[in-house]
Amino acid sequence: MKQKEQSPPLPSTPRLRQRRNLKPVEVLSDESKWKDLLVNDASKYKSMWVRTYSSLWMLGGVILILYMGHLYICAMVVVIQIFMAAELFHLRRGVHEDKRLPGFWLINWYFFFTAMLYVYGRILRQHLVNTVTSDKFLYTLVNGLIKYHMVICYFLYIAVMWFILTLKKKMYKYQFGQYAWTHMILIVVFTQSSFTVANIFEGIFWFILPASLIAINDVAAYFFGFFFGRTPLIKLSPKKTWEGFLGGSVATVLSAFALANILSQFQWMTCPRKDLSTGWLHCDPGPLFKLDYYPFLNYLPLIPKEFPWKGMSISPVQWHALCLGLFASIIAPFGGFFASGLKRAFKIKDFGDSIPGHGGFTDRMDCQMVMAIFAYIYFQSFVLPSPNSVEMILDQIERSLSFEEQERLYAMLGHIFKDQKYGYL
C-alpha cells in the first residue's frame, strides 16, 4: 500500500508563525480597540495629572500677564508666535536632516520678521503715533516711517531674493519646498494669530473671552471623553470621542454666556486702548456691556404669576458670546484636526515638548488661531457701529489724522457750518 503523499511544508516566516500561534481571543475588533484605548488605558491617569499641573501653571502665568495689561499680552502673543514658528521650521528640517543647508534657517527667520514688521506695523501704527504725540521729533520720525512703511516692507521682502543665489544643483526641489513651507507657516500661523493683537487693542475682553472658550472647550471635551468616551469621533485624532465633543460643546456655550457677564463687569477689560502705554483703563463701557432687563412674562406667558423669578438681566454682549461659544465648540476644533493630520503626515506625536503633557506651543494654539480670526471678523462685522456713524467717524479722525490735520479739519467744519447758517438766513 502506497503511503499517502505528504504536502510540502509551508514556508515559515516570523510573521506566519505569529499568525499560526495567535489565539482567537487576541484578535480584537476595531470597536474593542477603540474601547480599550479610550476606557481601559492604565497610563491615562498619569497623563491626566501631568496635563493638569501644566495647565495650572499656564493659567497662573496668563492671569499674571492679563493683570499687567495690553502691551504685555501682545508681547506674550509675539513670543508664542516665535515658538510656534521655531517648532514648524524644525519639523520640516528634521524630516530632511541629511539635506540641511548652511544658512537656510536664516532665510526662514528673515521672512518671519519681515512679515511681523509689516503686519504689526499696519495694526499698531496709529497707536504708536498716539504714544509719541507729545515729542515733536519722535512724532515726525514715526509719521515718516508710517508713510513709507509699505515700501520699506516690500523692499525688505524682495531683498531676500538672494535666496536664489543660494540654490544648489540637485537641491532645487528641497530648497523650493522649504521656501513654500516658510510661506505656509506665515499664512497659517502668523497671519491668523496676528489678529489676536488687533482684538487685544479693541479691549482685553475680545481677547480673553475667545481664548477662554477654546480652553474651556478643550478641558471639558477632555474630561467628558476621559470619563464617558466610547464612540470615536474622527480617525485623525483617535482619542477624540463624540461624548467628549458634545459634552465640551454644551459646557462651552453655557460658559460663554456666564463668562461674558463676569468679564463685562471690569472696565479695564472692556475699554479699547488707543496707544502703547501701560496701566489700567477707565472708560464708559457703552450700551454693549450694560444689562437689559427681560421680564419672563413678556416671552413666556404661560409662566404662573407665583413663579419666584420675574425676569433676568442680560447684557447685549452675552448674546454675542453665545455665537462665539458655538464657533469655539463646533468649528474651532477642526483646527486641531488639521494639526493632527499634519502630525500624521510627518509621523510625529507632538510638534514639540515645551509643555509637559501638552506637547509644543503649536499643539496648544491650533484651535486658538482659528478662533482669533473669527473673533476679529465677528467683532468688525457685528459688534462695531456702522462705519458711517458719528462714533466711527470720530474714531477714524483720531486714528488717522495728526493733531495739525485735526485742527485744520476743525477750522474747515467751522467755515462749512458758518456758510450753511448764513445760507439758511
Side-chain angles (χ1 to χ4, degrees):
M1 181 181 285
K2 287 186 177 180
Q3 291 184 352
K4 193 173 181 180
E5 209 172 276
Q6 294 182 352
S7 58
L10 294 172
S12 180
T13 63
R15 182 172 293 180
L16 286 174
R17 286 196 299 270
Q18 184 180 5
R19 286 180 180 175
R20 290 171 189 166
N21 297 328
L22 191 64
K23 297 179 181 179
V25 294
E26 295 178 359
V27 181
L28 300 176
S29 66
D30 289 340
E31 184 179 355
S32 300
K33 288 179 181 178
W34 280 106
K35 288 184 178 180
D36 183 68
L37 175 65
L38 299 171
V39 181
N40 301 319
D41 185 2
S43 64
K44 70 179 185 177
Y45 289 96
K46 180 180 178 181
S47 174
M48 182 188 72
W49 285 115
V50 171
R51 187 166 178 157
T52 301
Y53 291 142
S54 298
S55 299
L56 291 175
W57 277 104
M58 287 191 293
L59 179 62
V62 169
I63 290 174
L64 176 62
I65 293 172
L66 287 175
Y67 179 82
M68 296 171 72
H70 297 71
L71 208 58
Y72 294 94
I73 302 172
C74 293
M76 176 186 69
V77 172
V78 171
V79 170
I80 290 174
Q81 286 177 338
I82 292 173
F83 273 105
M84 291 173 65
E87 289 172 357
L88 292 173
F89 286 150
H90 177 75
L91 175 63
R92 176 76 179 179
R93 287 166 62 83
V95 172
H96 301 281
E97 187 77 28
D98 56 326
K99 295 183 180 180
R100 283 195 178 185
L101 297 175
F104 204 85
W105 64 272
L106 183 62
I107 296 175
N108 295 335
W109 288 108
Y110 184 90
F111 273 122
F112 180 83
F113 286 110
T114 301
M116 181 178 288
L117 178 64
Y118 175 76
V119 173
Y120 287 134
R122 300 286 290 179
I123 294 174
L124 302 178
R125 57 184 180 179
Q126 192 56 43
H127 297 82
L128 182 58
V129 170
N130 294 339
T131 305
V132 299
T133 302
S134 58
D135 190 310
K136 190 171 183 179
F137 172 76
L138 286 177
Y139 180 79
T140 305
L141 176 63
V142 168
N143 267 303
L145 291 174
I146 288 174
K147 182 179 180 181
Y148 301 107
H149 169 256
M150 190 176 293
V151 175
I152 293 170
C153 292
Y154 176 72
F155 278 101
L156 284 173
Y157 178 78
I158 63 173
V160 85
M161 289 301 104
W162 57 267
F163 153 77
I164 297 174
L165 302 177
T166 67
L167 293 175
K168 292 188 177 183
K169 194 174 181 180
K170 298 182 180 180
M171 300 288 288
Y172 298 150
K173 186 175 180 180
Y174 167 73
Q175 288 182 278
F176 277 102
Q178 287 285 76
Y179 181 84
W181 178 252
T182 301
H183 282 72
M184 191 206 79
I185 292 172
L186 297 180
I187 294 171
V188 175
V189 176
F190 178 76
T191 305
Q192 290 192 81
S193 53
S194 296
F195 283 97
T196 304
V197 174
N199 294 338
I200 293 169
F201 281 92
E202 295 294 350
I204 295 177
F205 178 93
W206 298 105
F207 162 75
I208 192 61
L209 179 64
S212 298
L213 294 181
I214 292 295
I216 290 170
N217 181 256
D218 187 44
V219 172
Y222 177 79
F223 279 101
F224 273 99
F226 185 89
F227 291 106
F228 308 107
R230 295 293 186 278
T231 311
L233 175 64
I234 186 171
K235 289 186 177 180
L236 284 173
S237 297
K239 293 189 178 182
K240 296 288 194 318
T241 63
W242 274 106
E243 290 80 5
F245 181 79
L246 295 175
S249 298
V250 173
T252 303
V253 173
L254 295 177
S255 299
F257 193 78
L259 188 61
N261 183 43
I262 295 171
L263 296 178
S264 61
Q265 306 301 315
F266 303 95
Q267 282 190 16
W268 62 276
M269 280 200 172
T270 60
C271 297
R273 183 171 283 283
K274 306 293 185 181
D275 54 27
L276 299 180
S277 61
T278 58
W280 287 14
L281 295 173
H282 300 281
C283 65
D284 180 8
L288 185 68
F289 298 98
K290 293 179 179 178
L291 295 173
D292 295 328
Y293 185 73
Y294 293 86
F296 290 150
L297 289 176
N298 290 357
Y299 303 96
L300 301 171
L302 297 179
I303 292 181
K305 293 183 179 180
E306 296 79 15
F307 191 70
W309 292 348
K310 303 300 181 184
M312 188 174 184
S313 295
I314 302 173
S315 61
V317 76
Q318 288 180 266
W319 302 118
H320 293 298
L322 287 179
C323 298
L324 295 176
L326 285 171
F327 186 90
S329 58
I330 298 174
I331 306 299
F334 282 87
F337 300 151
F338 176 85
S340 297
L342 191 62
K343 288 187 282 189
R344 287 289 186 95
F346 284 94
K347 299 179 180 179
I348 58 172
K349 182 182 178 183
D350 296 313
F351 287 105
D353 55 1
S354 307
I355 310 172
H358 293 269
F361 281 91
T362 309
D363 296 282
R364 288 297 90 217
M365 298 300 295
D366 44 16
C367 300
Q368 293 284 4
M369 293 185 297
V370 179
M371 190 67 196
I373 192 169
F374 173 75
Y376 176 82
I377 293 172
Y378 184 89
F379 178 84
Q380 297 292 327
S381 302
F382 301 106
V383 179
L384 275 184
S386 168
N388 296 324
S389 66
V390 174
E391 293 81 5
M392 287 299 294
I393 293 173
L394 290 174
D395 186 64
Q396 288 297 321
I397 291 172
E398 186 178 356
R399 289 173 181 263
S400 304
L401 300 182
S402 64
F403 181 73
E404 290 79 7
E405 290 171 330
Q406 291 178 24
E407 283 187 323
R408 183 183 171 194
L409 176 63
Y410 176 76
M412 292 175 66
L413 287 173
H415 289 303
I416 292 172
F417 295 147
K418 186 177 180 181
D419 293 341
Q420 287 180 348
K421 178 179 179 182
Y422 286 110
Y424 288 131
L425 294 176

